[in-house]
Amino acid sequence: MQVELFVGPLTAHFAPALAAAAPVGERPSTADVSAQIEAWRTWLSDGLVSAGHLSKPLRWDERVENEPQRFRVAVDALRALKLLLVQKRPESASGLLPPRPELDPAWVEQAEAGFAGNPYPQILVPEFWLPGGGGGYFDFTFLCPLPDGHEVQAGSTGSLGGQLAHVRENVLGGTPFDVLLWAGDDEPNADVRRLARHAVGVLEQAVAHALEANVPILIAPAA
């Protein structure tokens, strides 16, 4: 099974669902959805700034002409990456991905503690990553209500990129030149390290586009 890393304006992601949920004759236009996303962002940003979590408001490119990019990644690859990163010595961990890696004792222990103390929280916790205030980075994760009412854990695109690069180099022994190779290696029955490399390759591609275009990343069901 695969999921999609949606990288682009949130208007493009939420407009179809918001329109489908509205009664016939009351479906919002793209402009209406864009205004709703802008109002939601202001509300979210003001809350983070007033709480002292950010020094500058959140800003990203919501222009509808900014075409989103979609990167597919296997769910097992993301699970393998997380399983690797909860081990005491992730650089030497190996083996096949178990049927339910979330029941691994190390995973359970760290999940129950909210992954506190793990050096890779931006990889382990969020399903949604935002550009930081004023285009910068932030290093925390938080429970974030989305414009459609769902709640997910959110983090920072910039901090995610930094942690992925550290994992690639120090845990998986790769270089920036390996990113495309790993992203294209989607063998479903591979071992944990190979699956984790694939996840890192796809995630790093998504982050590179998100930082260049100044847009969020959202994990969503694959179309």
Side-chain angles (χ1 to χ4, degrees):
M1 185 173 69
Q2 292 187 323
V3 291
E4 176 181 280
L5 302 177
F6 175 91
V7 186
L10 296 181
T11 300
H13 176 78
F14 288 107
L18 292 174
V24 176
E26 299 179 19
R27 291 179 176 173
S29 67
T30 300
D32 291 335
V33 174
S34 182
Q36 184 176 341
I37 297 294
E38 295 279 359
W40 166 82
R41 179 175 63 186
T42 299
W43 168 80
L44 180 65
S45 180
D46 287 351
L48 291 170
V49 171
S50 64
H53 298 307
L54 293 177
S55 60
K56 296 181 179 179
L58 294 169
R59 291 288 182 269
W60 63 80
D61 190 351
E62 270 297 322
R63 293 175 300 167
V64 293
E65 60 269 25
N66 186 1
E67 191 69 23
Q69 299 293 313
R70 293 172 170 86
F71 301 83
R72 288 198 170 202
V73 61
V75 172
D76 277 352
L78 294 174
R79 295 163 80 209
L81 176 58
K82 292 183 178 183
L83 179 61
L84 206 65
L85 297 183
V86 297
Q87 305 306 313
K88 290 185 178 179
R89 293 183 55 81
E91 67 281 357
S92 59
S94 61
L96 297 177
L97 183 69
R100 299 187 66 184
E102 66 276 6
L103 297 182
D104 180 90
W107 189 321
V108 171
E109 180 183 0
Q110 292 198 36
E112 289 179 347
F115 299 101
N118 191 289
Y120 307 112
Q122 296 286 338
I123 301 173
L124 290 166
V125 178
E127 303 168 61
F128 181 41
W129 296 269
L130 295 166
Y137 300 175
F138 56 88
D139 60 3
F140 58 90
T141 64
F142 64 100
L143 187 62
C144 178
L146 294 176
D148 63 358
H150 290 89
E151 288 189 332
V152 297
Q153 290 288 340
S156 159
T157 52
S159 294
L160 173 63
Q163 290 180 19
L164 286 167
H166 192 275
V167 169
R168 172 179 28 83
E169 181 177 350
N170 296 284
V171 176
L172 297 172
T175 72
F177 300 102
D178 292 312
V179 170
L180 285 176
L181 179 65
W182 290 358
D185 182 16
D186 57 355
E187 169 57 48
N189 299 314
D191 62 28
V192 166
R193 293 186 69 82
R194 185 171 170 184
L195 286 168
R197 289 189 184 106
H198 174 61
V200 167
V202 178
L203 283 164
E204 284 209 76
Q205 284 188 314
V207 168
H209 180 78
L211 292 176
E212 181 179 3
N214 190 35
V215 290
I217 302 172
L218 175 65
I219 297 180

